[in-house]
Amino acid sequence: MKTIVGKVTVVKENDLFWAVRGGGGGVFGVLTSITYKIHPELPNYVRYVCLYPWHSDSMGFIGDSVLLNYFSNIRNLPRNWGGYLLFNGHNLKPRGVNFMGTLLFSLLYSGDSYTHAMETIKPFWEFHREWSLSIVPGAECRITNYTNFWEYEKTIDDTHYGDQYISNVLLTNQSLDSPIELTKVFSKQLLPGGRRSQGGVISCTSCLIGGKSEDFHDDSASVNPNLRHGWSSMSCGVGWDKSTLKYRNYFLSQIDGWQTEVHTRFGKNVYYNEPPYDLVYWKMAYWKDNYAKLLEIKLKYDPELMFRCHHCVGSDLTPNDGKPIVG
């Protein structure tokens, strides 16, 4: 390790390496090289995709039923499965048929057995496939078996960007004890009478977490333990364009309201990479009880607070005296 004054030292302690694995923000130094241990290729990669409407002229409101089925069965899905549920309240008119809101399931199985994949995805695959948006080309429920991970990865389009303010909650396994409550909390963001007006529509992404990371002890890294043991990182945001820019403050209040509710109900746990900018209790939400140790390590290796960013370890301290910034 080279210090900020140019001195090269060999770090034998594990504290610095513990801190950088979850401490975030590059605030402990500059990483000049890294070695990854890769995973062996698995024989089966099976993707399940299904798109449902929240509401349609022909079926009425079905989104609650779809979301309830997801929350009721996701706990039993084996760790071989990962992926996303994406839902929003945008109005669509494919082929002249009115839809309000969509729920998109995109799950991927990585494992040894195609049979195992098909058996374990049944609660989702067999749930009212006739409700899916089969009238939209390519949107019907489908399962695809890939020969390798790259064959799956090259089909992913992640190039859509825009102005959006987001918030996040790490959902623990305990939240699944009440799937009905989960359904009510998230569905009302999208239904009429929820937080939708002035062109602002909340959209959410539920990313499955846990898996192999659960094999390691909480003390092995500095991340919030709920990122290791939770079941979903749920990020919701509201976006705007030039035509709705004047409602920006209203949109921010939408997300603030959502954030207050979910953090009150399900715990103040936040994924460090998708936080709300104005989060007050960021130390606890990102790192729980690990923050005090992270700050101690920060001041040990960067006492002049050279490496800084918004809501990073030590960001509320002044470089001169190490005291908290007031105001």
Side-chain angles (χ1 to χ4, degrees):
M1 183 188 76
K2 180 177 287 189
T3 67
I4 57 176
V5 294
K7 181 181 178 182
V8 177
T9 61
V10 177
V11 179
K12 295 182 179 180
E13 300 90 355
N14 290 325
D15 59 353
L16 181 60
F17 299 107
W18 174 86
V20 298
R21 294 198 301 271
V27 296
F28 300 96
V30 178
L31 189 64
T32 59
S33 65
I34 188 169
T35 301
Y36 285 103
K37 179 181 179 181
I38 63 175
H39 298 282
E41 185 82 298
L42 296 171
N44 287 281
Y45 295 89
V46 182
R47 186 186 187 192
Y48 160 73
V49 177
C50 195
L51 183 65
Y52 292 94
W54 271 99
H55 173 273
S56 73
D57 290 346
S58 60
M59 294 180 289
F61 287 100
I62 61 173
D64 279 4
S65 298
V66 177
L67 200 57
L68 180 59
N69 182 67
Y70 174 74
F71 289 140
S72 299
N73 289 288
I74 198 68
R75 170 179 274 168
N76 300 320
L77 204 63
R79 297 195 309 177
N80 303 76
W81 286 96
Y84 304 89
L85 165 62
L86 303 96
F87 52 102
N88 64 66
H90 292 285
N91 294 322
L92 304 173
K93 293 184 178 181
R95 299 186 181 179
V97 180
N98 290 325
F99 286 89
M100 192 210 77
T102 58
L103 300 98
L104 172 64
F105 295 87
S106 181
L107 304 178
L108 181 70
Y109 173 93
S110 305
D112 297 325
S113 171
Y114 176 78
T115 301
H116 182 241
M118 294 303 298
E119 288 176 350
T120 53
I121 201 63
K122 274 185 179 181
F124 303 92
W125 176 244
E126 295 181 351
F127 183 79
H128 290 288
R129 292 204 302 275
E130 73 277 8
W131 289 354
S132 71
L133 297 180
S134 57
I135 61 172
V136 179
E140 65 276 1
C141 297
R142 61 191 185 276
I143 289 178
T144 307
N145 191 18
Y146 296 96
T147 56
N148 55 63
F149 184 77
W150 172 241
E151 289 299 312
Y152 155 77
E153 183 66 21
K154 68 183 183 181
T155 67
I156 304 303
D157 181 12
D158 192 24
T159 58
H160 303 290
Y161 301 96
D163 294 324
Q164 189 175 54
Y165 187 86
I166 65 172
S167 186
N168 175 271
V169 60
L170 295 175
L171 293 170
T172 65
N173 290 326
Q174 287 74 21
S175 68
L176 293 173
D177 292 339
S178 181
I180 294 177
E181 181 183 10
L182 272 173
T183 300
K184 289 180 179 179
V185 169
F186 290 105
S187 67
K188 74 179 183 181
Q189 310 297 330
L190 310 177
L191 298 176
R195 298 186 177 101
R196 303 177 66 251
S197 67
Q198 312 292 4
V201 180
I202 289 181
S203 58
C204 300
T205 299
S206 169
C207 175
L208 296 183
I209 57 177
K212 194 68 175 178
S213 65
E214 296 181 80
D215 293 345
F216 297 87
H217 194 272
D218 288 352
D219 292 337
S220 63
S222 54
V223 296
N224 184 327
N226 289 300
L227 181 60
R228 187 183 301 280
H229 302 298
W231 73 271
S232 172
S233 173
M234 180 77 78
S235 295
C236 292
V238 61
W240 57 87
D241 55 24
K242 291 182 179 180
S243 65
T244 56
L245 183 60
K246 60 183 178 181
Y247 302 116
R248 177 179 178 274
N249 289 336
Y250 173 77
F251 297 156
L252 299 185
S253 70
Q254 289 183 298
I255 291 299
D256 287 341
W258 176 85
Q259 175 183 286
T260 299
E261 181 170 10
V262 296
H263 286 182
T264 300
R265 288 176 178 264
F266 306 121
K268 296 176 179 179
N269 302 290
V270 173
Y271 175 39
Y272 181 77
N273 199 45
E274 295 182 351
Y277 186 85
D278 300 313
L279 187 65
V280 175
Y281 41 87
W282 53 275
K283 297 176 184 178
M284 179 190 68
Y286 298 162
W287 296 293
K288 291 301 187 186
D289 295 336
N290 291 332
Y291 185 80
K293 182 178 178 181
L294 282 168
L295 182 59
E296 179 182 345
I297 296 169
K298 165 71 173 175
L299 295 177
K300 176 182 177 181
Y301 292 102
D302 182 21
E304 297 186 13
L305 302 177
M306 173 174 289
F307 301 104
R308 305 172 62 82
C309 65
H310 180 70
H311 286 178
C312 290
V313 175
S315 62
D316 60 340
L317 304 179
T318 60
N320 295 327
D321 55 19
K323 296 180 180 179
I325 298 173
V326 178

